[in-house]
Each structure stands twice: as structure tokens, then as C-alpha cells.
Amino acid sequence: MMISDSFTYNNWHIVEPLHKKTDMNFKHFLLASIFLLTSFIAFAQNPQKHTGSADHPYSADLQNGYFLNPVLKGNYADPSVVRDGDNYYMTHSSFDNIPGLLIWHSKDLVNWRPIGNALAEFVGGVWAPDIIKFKGKFYIYFPAGGTNWVVTATDPAGPWSKQVDLKIGGIDPGHVATPEGKRYLNLNDGRMAQLAADGLSITGPAKKIYEGWQFPKDWITECFCLESPKLTYKDGYYYMTVAEGGTAGPPTSHMVVSARSKTPFGPWENSPNNPIVRNRDRNNKWASIGHGTLVDSPDGKWWIIFHGFEAANRALGRQVLLLPIEWTKDGWFRVPKDADPAKPLKKPIGKAVSSDLHLSDNFAGTGLGSQWNILKNENSSNFKVSNNTLSIKGIGSAIQNTQPLTIMPANNSYQVTINVSKGTGESKGGLVLYYNSKYYVGLEFKDNAIYRLYNGDRGRMVSDIKQDSVYLRLVNDHHDLLCYYSLDGKDWTRMDFVTEISGYHHNILGGWGYLKPALFATGDGEVKFRDFKYLGLN
């Protein structure tokens, strides 16, 4: 048996043989090797200057010609995708986050890179957009604030136009154009309205054109809920791809169904392969799967991109999934019987793009990085970046009425770390995992002490700090939230409480949301934050 001692370096726990303790060259060599290795990994995975550390984001690409769902991890619900040559562009619901309508680029439908946002101001919560290309221009139709809007661009990376109000209600718009160039907008409940030739206005009232597909009455679903009409024109048929069953209820509720017609108005013939996508077993990995969009690849193959909850981690929201599509001889499409969204699948053709998704931030420059979201764009002037410091002017009197600054986590388990300084005046700030103003959990620093925050409580002091700044760390470890603090960012103390957080999701709390890391400041004054680090753990 080897007798050993141990030491810690940069959060690595090193076991050192005692018979080498007198050989300092061994220790120096080992430390130098670890430093070089971690530095190389950090640079390779996170080369951008502003991030400052390796994030270890999730990747669906198995690097062997196969991928494993999800292709996009995080709450990227209601995905819509369009192909332009050998490029794919996708957007999705952005809810109350601003900037909104995040645009992703891919060349293989598996590896995705964020390239910009199409919405700069808050016009209401954004749900279920549709991105399309028509006569050389890209359009995104989206519902928000009780109406539907459209933005346009010649390049999906932007700039995008200011949003135009179509002055028509409904949700989940889906654009379709005839070969002759006439354009229509489909909406939930099987309704359709004609668009002007430029696609920027509605020329008549919406009319009911489709009744949907009636699934068996004994299926366990949330509702009928005919939503998400996405239209595809192929070989003389218009294919209507819709969602039914409800989106966030029982794990077997959501689904994708299809119908076809020779005209965009119907009559519609429902597919004999319905439902195209549905979770039939509550014990499966992916729950409430649905809201699909068809897309072809340059080699003539077809795919469906849709969303679903990971049953073991609903708190992360609805994630983006991909399955192959096959066409039958009689002109219908279906998912091959052996295509399981929970198992490795062969990738579409195409080169993998680098994700460039980095969530850490050392606050270089003079503005917030694209990873940050300001909910509803409220109090945006209170967030200032300068000299590697984020300054937040206090908003509200407590976290229940503050304006948090959030990011979208990209892993099932992860840790976030921040240095927070004592606020000026009566201000205080901290780091939390935030669902909404009623449900949150984390740490607050005020009056040289750390307080625990949890679901509306007023804060319980958990540690007294004899200095004016402290490092705070939250670790989401398989739904167990562990809390740490450090005086120097090197030696960490874990606090003597753990919070189970798997219940932070729609079914339990009501409303719509997902659990996300957030920074905040409250009270009269200003709080400074430095060196935000995100690390994915699995």
C-alpha cells in the first residue's frame, strides 16, 4: 500500500506520495503540468477574451458520425428552422428576455452557434416564432402582447428591422407561400389569414381552415390545443404540421400531427401516420415532445426539429430535439420506427460549426455580453460595465421586487461563481437561481455578512464576513443546490444547508419559466460584481 498525503491546487485535489514529499521538483513539475493542461483546455474551449474561463458547455455531437439529443440544451422552446443552401438558421421562444429572438446558425442541424438577436425591445412575451426565407429576404413572425409581429433581414445575423405590428391576434404563426407568390399566415386553432405581397400586413380576417386530428379520447393529455401550424410545400401538396395535446402537462400529452392538401385552404386529409411524434410512456427520457418543424438537408433527406422536457430535469425547460423523417411511396412522412430520441442517431450531412457559446464573463469592454438577459428590458440603464466590473444600481427593496440579470444554463448540473463587493448606501446584492419573483434560492451579501435567500423569506444570516467583498458560488448538483463562499477565490467553505430544487418548473409553480442563474442588486446604492464564471458539470 502506498502511503500518501494530499494538497489542493486551483480546485484540483492532488494525491502526493509521501516518499516524494522531499522531492520539490516532482511537485513543481506536477503543478506546472496541471497548469499547462488546464490553460490549454480553457483556451481551446473558450478562446474569446471576454469570458476568462472554460465553460464546458454541452455538445450533442458524439464525434463519431452520430449525435445524441438534445441538439440544443436549455430552455429553447418552440424551435423554428429554415435552410438556406447548406446553412440552417433557427430561432425559438424568447419569452421576456431582451435581447430576444436569438438566431442560431448550423451546417449540420446538430452543432449550433448563436449569431445575433432579431428583437431589441420588449413588446410582450415572445412565444413560438416562425423563421422563413422568401424571395431573398428572411422573415420572423412572432406573437407578443396580444398581437402578431414581423421582423425582416437580408442576413440572419442582422441587422433586423424594427418590428411591425400585423394587428391580428392568435399565437404560433406559420407562414406559407404558393408557387405563384401569394402569402398566408396560419395561426392556432386552425385559422389562416392572407398576407400582403410584402408580408408586412394582413389583408383580411382569419378564417378557420383546419379542424385538426382527433386523437383517441383515452390518451392522457393536457388538452386538445391545436397549435404551432408549420407549412411545407412539396410535390404539389401543402403539408400542415401542427402540435396538439398541450405543451407542459402530463409527460404523454404533447405531440406532432400532420395533414395535407392540394391548396393552402384545404380540404385537409389527416396523415395515416399520426401522431408523427409523441411520447407514449411516462417513463421515457423525453416528456411532452412536440411542436415540430420539417426541414430538408442538401442531400435530399428530411428531418423534424421539435422540443421536449427531459423528464429528470424539467427545471431546465423545453430543449431542442432532432429526428430523421422518411417519406412513404404514397406521399406521407413519418419518423422511422427505429429512431429513438433518447438514443444516438446518425448525423445529417454538413460541417460542424464551433458553438462559441460562452457564459463566463470577466466584464471586459463597456457593455453586457450577449449571454445576459434583461427581463422585459426593464431598468436596463441600471446595468453598467467598465474596468472589468459590472455595476448594478439597486432596483427595488428586496429580491421579490428587483430586476435580476439572468443567463440560460447549458448543462444539467453546473456551478456559477461571482465576486461581489459591499454595496454603497443601503444597497445589497447577490447570486441566486431564479424562477420568478416568488421562487428563487441563493445568497445575498450585505453589511459584511452572507444571507440565505429562499422562496420569499426575508433572509437568514449564514456567515459573518470581515471584509468588504466576497466570492459566492452556487452548485446545481443533480438538483441539489450547494452554496459556498470564499474570501480569496481559492479556498472555499461550503455552507451547512442544501436545497432540493427539482420542483422549480411549470407543473409545480404555475406560470411559465425555467430556473436560471441571476445577479441582482436592491436598495438605494450600487453593487459591483467581478469575474463571473460558469462551469458545466455534466
Side-chain angles (χ1 to χ4, degrees):
M1 177 181 294
M2 178 179 290
I3 301 175
S4 65
D5 198 0
S6 66
F7 60 97
T8 301
Y9 176 73
N10 195 26
N11 290 326
W12 288 64
H13 191 66
I14 310 299
V15 177
E16 179 183 13
L18 284 179
H19 71 269
K20 290 191 180 276
K21 286 179 72 67
T22 59
D23 185 359
M24 295 305 295
N25 288 333
F26 171 80
K27 179 184 287 187
H28 292 159
F29 171 78
L30 186 57
L31 290 175
S33 299
I34 292 171
F35 175 78
L36 289 173
L37 176 61
T38 55
S39 297
F40 173 77
I41 292 173
F43 178 78
Q45 296 195 23
N46 197 7
Q48 293 183 349
K49 179 180 177 181
H50 70 275
T51 57
S53 69
D55 289 338
H56 299 300
Y58 167 88
S59 175
D61 195 335
L62 300 179
Q63 304 295 322
N64 60 0
Y66 287 78
F67 73 95
L68 182 65
N69 280 307
V71 295
L72 204 55
K73 197 169 190 70
N75 189 40
Y76 301 111
D78 309 312
S80 174
V81 63
V82 62
R83 180 173 71 86
D84 183 31
D86 62 352
N87 296 289
Y88 302 93
Y89 300 100
M90 178 171 62
T91 191
H92 44 75
S93 293
S94 52
F95 308 104
D96 290 342
N97 294 328
I98 293 295
L101 290 174
L102 180 59
I103 309 296
W104 299 79
H105 170 243
S106 176
K107 285 184 172 291
D108 63 1
L109 289 171
V110 171
N111 295 277
W112 292 92
R113 179 172 65 94
I115 59 172
N117 292 85
L119 186 63
E121 61 181 292
F122 184 71
V123 293
V126 174
W127 297 79
D130 190 29
I131 183 170
I132 62 103
K133 185 181 182 183
F134 183 76
K135 293 185 177 180
K137 183 180 288 188
F138 292 88
Y139 298 75
I140 299 177
Y141 294 91
F142 66 95
T147 186
N148 279 271
W149 308 78
V150 60
V151 290
T152 64
T154 55
D155 184 340
W160 286 82
S161 71
K162 184 178 177 62
Q163 63 277 0
V164 175
D165 187 355
L166 296 175
K167 296 181 172 57
I168 187 170
I171 61 172
D172 298 12
H175 175 276
V176 65
T178 68
E180 298 77 28
K182 290 188 176 181
R183 307 175 66 176
Y184 301 91
L185 195 68
N186 287 262
L187 299 162
N188 64 308
D189 294 331
R191 297 176 298 122
M192 186 180 75
Q194 186 166 355
L195 286 162
D198 62 3
L200 302 181
S201 62
I202 299 292
T203 61
K207 298 179 180 180
K208 183 89 168 183
I209 63 162
Y210 178 54
E211 297 294 335
W213 176 73
Q214 183 56 63
F215 49 81
K217 296 290 188 181
D218 61 347
W219 283 10
I220 305 299
T221 65
E222 182 180 13
C223 54
F224 182 69
C225 296
L226 178 58
E227 299 173 343
S228 177
K230 298 295 182 283
L231 280 294
T232 304
Y233 182 74
K234 181 179 183 295
D235 299 333
Y237 278 104
Y238 296 87
Y239 290 87
M240 172 92 70
T241 305
V242 299
E244 292 181 1
T247 190
T252 56
S253 60
H254 210 21
M255 68 190 82
V256 174
V257 305
S258 185
R260 72 181 184 187
S261 172
K262 286 289 188 177
T263 79
F265 321 104
W268 296 94
E269 179 187 7
N270 285 311
S271 172
N273 302 310
N274 283 339
I276 306 300
V277 171
R278 179 177 176 250
N279 172 39
R280 300 173 184 272
D281 187 339
R282 67 176 66 251
N283 298 311
N284 284 338
K285 177 179 179 179
W286 293 103
S288 298
I289 55 178
H291 200 104
T293 300
L294 290 181
V295 62
D296 63 336
S297 49
D299 59 352
K301 294 184 178 179
W302 286 77
W303 309 83
I304 187 167
I305 200 159
F306 57 103
H307 67 206
F309 287 101
E310 189 171 1
N313 191 13
R314 280 184 173 250
L316 198 57
R318 290 169 290 171
Q319 304 177 53
V320 179
L321 312 176
L322 178 70
L323 282 174
I325 285 293
E326 63 183 13
W327 291 87
T328 62
K329 292 181 179 179
D330 53 355
W332 294 104
F333 66 88
R334 65 191 178 194
V335 174
K337 290 184 179 180
D338 60 349
D340 187 336
K343 294 180 180 179
L345 297 165
K346 191 172 181 179
K347 282 180 54 182
I349 65 165
K351 181 181 178 180
V353 299
S354 173
S355 75
D356 289 338
L357 178 63
H358 302 296
L359 298 178
S360 297
D361 198 347
N362 63 12
F363 303 115
T366 59
L368 284 171
S370 60
Q371 64 268 59
W372 297 104
N373 292 304
I374 300 178
L375 300 182
K376 299 185 179 180
N377 208 33
E378 293 178 351
N379 305 299
S380 57
S381 63
N382 286 42
F383 303 92
K384 304 288 187 182
V385 174
S386 177
N387 299 321
N388 295 102
T389 301
L390 167 66
S391 300
I392 304 180
K393 184 179 178 181
I395 303 167
S397 59
I399 192 169
Q400 293 95 327
N401 54 28
T402 194
Q403 179 66 39
L405 184 67
T406 69
I407 64 166
M408 177 82 73
N411 301 84
N412 278 8
S413 294
Y414 53 87
Q415 73 177 30
V416 285
T417 306
I418 191 69
N419 175 260
V420 55
S421 296
K422 179 181 178 180
T424 61
E426 299 298 321
S427 63
K428 53 200 175 186
L431 173 67
V432 295
L433 297 189
Y434 186 86
Y435 182 86
N436 59 27
S437 61
K438 294 182 179 180
Y439 300 101
Y440 49 82
V441 59
L443 301 172
E444 181 179 72
F445 183 53
K446 66 176 181 178
D447 300 329
N448 299 96
I450 299 173
Y451 291 78
R452 183 194 184 200
L453 301 175
Y454 179 55
N455 290 2
D457 67 12
R458 300 179 63 183
R460 174 174 63 89
M461 190 175 78
V462 293
S463 186
D464 194 20
I465 302 298
K466 303 301 182 183
Q467 61 186 47
D468 289 342
S469 70
V470 67
Y471 290 85
L472 303 178
R473 173 174 289 172
L474 302 180
V475 179
N476 180 353
D477 182 3
H478 297 83
H479 309 304
D480 291 332
L481 182 68
L482 286 65
C483 298
Y484 297 78
Y485 76 92
S486 172
L487 300 181
D488 57 8
K490 298 177 182 178
D491 297 319
W492 291 88
T493 299
R494 189 171 77 109
M495 298 178 178
D496 61 354
F497 52 84
V498 176
T499 308
E500 209 285 329
I501 56 175
S502 64
Y504 283 78
H505 61 84
H506 167 77
N507 297 56
I508 301 299
L509 304 183
W512 288 92
Y514 57 96
L515 197 61
K516 57 266 188 187
L519 305 176
F520 73 93
T522 63
D524 184 16
E526 187 175 76
V527 179
K528 296 185 182 298
F529 299 85
R530 299 176 179 88
D531 198 18
F532 176 79
K533 293 181 180 178
Y534 173 98
L535 180 63
L537 303 178
N538 71 352

